[in-house]
């Protein structure tokens, strides 16, 4: 492809994908289209910002005219769409932001692609990056497959489910060449510390309470972010049009067990006494409508495209902690100002 627009490239997963694509495809122009919300940070891309095949354009995907102007300027053959409001807790306090960006923003992108590619769809591709949360919540057994019925239960997952349906509908109705991926929980460098792992790392560093929602028994399936970026690259290039692929880490952890492991690894790395960080664990009021368990069956992408996760969790977590310890300035910068207010508002009524 000559040119690929990646939306949300200044965010957590998007910045890893941009790093990968800029280096791996030097003859392809990679355009990062991002509105730079609180979650977007160009500092994540400092080391590649001067590469000749990389450009950044500040566009809000809710603004159709701005999206269309960028599409006309860069004439992408491919679009990989990651831009989203991505934090479940924020969706509970402010659902409309999720409807606007995740639903309307996605439809704007589909309309712009349809307009740009109207005379020739050959060789074009729109890759929609989605989440396993669209499938709802599992009990003790079972896995989400691509054929699992959608059952979103938070405003975030409802907005992502809606965007997935629009992507499929545009494929069926207008023949837009689409592929879709639904991934489990990611972790790794550059994740904004509103999400479980970096929030806990930051609090452990600061010797602050570690807020565990409910009883800490909810289960998530964790995948190292670079494995997700590799899967997106593979599906974007080799995935069958109209198909969706589930991506997961085969790595289920109860939140409380994960936080214990994190505390142990960090105490060791920080030269603290055994058990010091675990003593910061505090049970707080549960998230409203908290999904119990997510687990992915990723046989389709494994069998059809040969993708497998590359890192085991202890290794990935250790690498992640090392990154945050070596990038305390990054952490300080993203947690200064707005973050302090967010943290206070989000956690103030959670004491139990
Ligand atoms: P993130 O919150 O870290 O980054 C989102 C990015 O989108 C930011 O750079 C932000 O500036 C940009 N953005 C937000 N609203 C925008 C708008 N209106 N216009 C243009 N840009 C906008 O998110 P993430 O964790 O990197 O997730 C990326 C994608 O992957 C999302 O679609 C998310 O639903 C999906 N996903 C995330 C996970 C995960 O564990 N983080 C797992 C599966 C799927
Ligand atoms: O499954 C994929 C999804 O994973 C992505 O689509 C979302 O964008 C991403 O944010 C993530 O959603 P979760 O809600 O699972 O992630 P989060 O890191 O917010 O929470 C993980 C678990 O930890 C969840 O059960 C809630 C719990 N938790 C979270 C925070 C922030 C706590 O117990 N305490 C906390 O302070």
């Amino acid at each position: 492809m000559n040119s690929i627009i990646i939306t949300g490239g200044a965010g957590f997963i998007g910045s890893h994908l941009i790093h990968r694509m800029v280096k791996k495809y030097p003859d392809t122009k990679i355009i990062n289209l991002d509105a730079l919300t609180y979650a977007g940070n160009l500092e994540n891309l400092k080391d590649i910002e001067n590469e000749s095949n990389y450009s950044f354009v500040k566009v809000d995907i809710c603004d159709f005219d701005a999206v269309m102007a960028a599409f006309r300027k860069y004439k992408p053959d491919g679009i990989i769409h990651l831009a989203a409001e991505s934090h479940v807790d924020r969706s509970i306090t402010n659902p409309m932001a999720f409807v606007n960006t995740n639903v309307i923003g996605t439809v704007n992108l589909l309309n712009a692609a349809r307009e740009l590619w109207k005379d020739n769809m050959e060789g074009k591709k729109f890759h929609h990056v989605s989440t396993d949360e669209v499938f709802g919540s599992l009990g003790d057994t079972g896995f989400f497959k691509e054929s699992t019925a959608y059952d979103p239960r938070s405003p975030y997952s409802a907005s992502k489910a809606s965007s997935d349906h629009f992507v499929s509908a545009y494929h069926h109705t207008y023949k837009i060449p689409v592929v879709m991926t639904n991934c489990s929980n990611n972790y790794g460098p550059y994740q904004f510390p509103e999400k479980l792992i970096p929030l806990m790392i930051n609090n452990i560093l600061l010797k602050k309470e570690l807020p565990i929602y409910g009883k800490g028994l909810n289960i998530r399936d964790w995948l190292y972010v670079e494995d997700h970026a590799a899967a997106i690259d593979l599906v974007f290039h080799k995935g069958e049009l109209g198909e969706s692929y589930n991506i997961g880490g085969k790595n289920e952890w109860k939140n409380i067990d994960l936080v214990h492991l994190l505390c142990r690894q960090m105490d060791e790395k920080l030269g603290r006494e055994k058990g010091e960080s675990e003593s910061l664990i505090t049970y707080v009021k549960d998230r409203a409508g908290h999904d119990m368990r997510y687990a992915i069956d990723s046989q389709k992408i494994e069998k059809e495209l040969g993708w497998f996760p590359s890192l085991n969790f202890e290794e990935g977590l250790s690498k992640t902690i090392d990154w945050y310890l070596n990038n305390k300035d990054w952490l300080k910068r993203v947690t200064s100002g707005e973050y302090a207010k967010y943290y206070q508002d989000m956690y103030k009524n959670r004491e139990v």
Side-chain angles (χ1 to χ4, degrees):
M1 284 190 177
N2 291 323
S3 147
I4 301 170
I5 285 189
I6 296 181
T7 73
F12 166 48
I13 301 167
S15 60
H16 284 274
L17 184 67
I18 296 232
H19 274 110
R20 179 185 179 90
M21 304 285 278
V22 164
K23 286 183 199 139
K24 192 167 164 197
Y25 304 107
D27 297 331
T28 302
K29 280 189 207 125
I30 305 293
I31 300 105
N32 174 12
L33 185 154
D34 198 298
L36 299 182
T37 68
Y38 78 93
N41 186 353
L42 289 178
E43 205 185 328
N44 301 358
L45 296 158
K46 263 249 137 320
D47 54 327
I48 55 103
E49 70 185 5
N50 294 322
E51 295 294 336
S52 55
N53 64 332
Y54 171 76
S55 321
F56 168 72
V57 54
K58 187 169 186 293
V59 168
D60 183 339
I61 59 170
C62 300
D63 178 349
F64 177 76
D65 292 342
V67 169
M68 199 65 237
F71 275 36
R72 288 199 201 288
K73 177 169 178 194
Y74 294 104
K75 299 186 178 45
D77 315 295
I79 293 141
I80 309 182
H81 174 35
L82 295 98
E85 287 291 338
S86 69
H87 190 37
V88 174
D89 290 326
R90 288 186 192 253
S91 82
I92 295 167
T93 46
N94 183 14
M96 278 319 288
F98 289 70
V99 174
N100 288 331
T101 288
N102 299 359
V103 186
I104 313 274
T106 300
V107 179
N108 277 339
L109 291 167
L110 288 165
N111 283 335
R114 187 178 162 218
E115 173 62 24
L116 188 74
W117 298 340
K118 65 182 175 208
D119 296 327
N120 184 10
M121 302 258 181
E122 196 57 41
K124 309 291 193 286
K125 205 173 273 183
F126 187 111
H127 182 149
H128 179 58
V129 175
S130 191
T131 171
D132 61 355
E133 299 201 10
V134 298
F135 299 118
S137 178
L138 292 164
D140 292 342
T141 57
F143 296 90
F144 296 135
K145 295 178 191 302
E146 288 78 3
S147 56
T148 302
Y150 274 34
D151 180 24
R153 295 149 46 102
S154 73
Y156 164 67
S157 53
S159 68
K160 291 296 290 188
S162 173
S163 66
D164 291 12
H165 289 320
F166 272 104
V167 170
S168 302
Y170 270 58
H171 175 67
H172 289 286
T173 310
Y174 305 114
K175 310 295 173 229
I176 304 286
V178 306
V179 284
M180 183 154 68
T181 43
N182 294 79
C183 189
S184 64
N185 286 62
N186 285 216
Y187 70 100
Y190 299 116
Q191 188 168 30
F192 192 76
E194 63 186 351
K195 307 283 166 67
L196 181 74
I197 291 179
L199 183 141
M200 294 295 169
I201 291 175
N202 189 42
N203 284 15
I204 290 170
L205 264 174
L206 301 173
K207 302 191 179 184
K208 272 173 71 172
E209 285 182 348
L210 308 179
I212 305 282
Y213 297 168
K215 295 191 167 69
L217 300 179
N218 305 66
I219 293 173
R220 298 293 182 264
D221 172 359
W222 294 92
L223 179 71
Y224 193 67
V225 60
E226 285 178 10
D227 281 333
H228 187 190
I232 294 173
D233 180 8
L234 191 63
V235 171
F236 177 69
H237 286 99
K238 302 263 165 63
E240 207 172 308
L241 294 183
E243 290 293 310
S244 69
Y245 297 82
N246 282 0
I247 305 167
K250 288 201 187 78
N251 179 40
E252 292 181 47
W253 284 81
K254 285 194 182 94
N255 293 338
I256 186 65
D257 295 340
L258 189 162
V259 173
H260 276 292
L261 173 65
L262 191 60
C263 288
R264 286 197 294 275
Q265 284 201 4
M266 284 201 59
D267 282 349
E268 210 176 299
K269 288 178 193 287
L270 292 166
R272 290 186 186 165
E273 263 181 43
K274 255 192 182 164
E276 188 175 333
S277 297
E278 282 162 303
S279 70
L280 299 168
I281 289 176
T282 309
Y283 291 90
V284 301
K285 191 166 154 225
D286 210 350
R287 173 184 280 174
H290 198 172
D291 287 340
M292 194 60 209
R293 173 172 168 257
Y294 303 144
I296 282 276
D297 177 343
S298 47
Q299 282 189 64
K300 180 173 171 181
I301 188 171
E302 291 174 7
K303 286 193 178 143
E304 292 184 13
L305 303 178
W307 173 89
F308 294 91
S310 72
L311 278 184
N312 76 44
F313 190 53
E314 278 79 357
E315 224 182 313
L317 195 61
S318 172
K319 262 179 92 158
T320 303
I321 296 169
D322 289 344
W323 185 85
Y324 282 95
L325 294 182
N326 291 327
N327 290 277
K328 289 198 194 107
D329 289 346
W330 182 94
L331 202 48
K332 255 196 205 136
R333 276 195 289 278
V334 303
T335 52
S336 61
E338 261 301 296
Y339 181 82
K341 183 169 178 343
Y342 162 81
Y343 195 90
Q344 202 195 350
D345 290 348
M346 191 58 77
Y347 290 88
K348 74 177 170 214
N349 292 320
R350 284 198 184 267
E351 291 87 15
V352 283

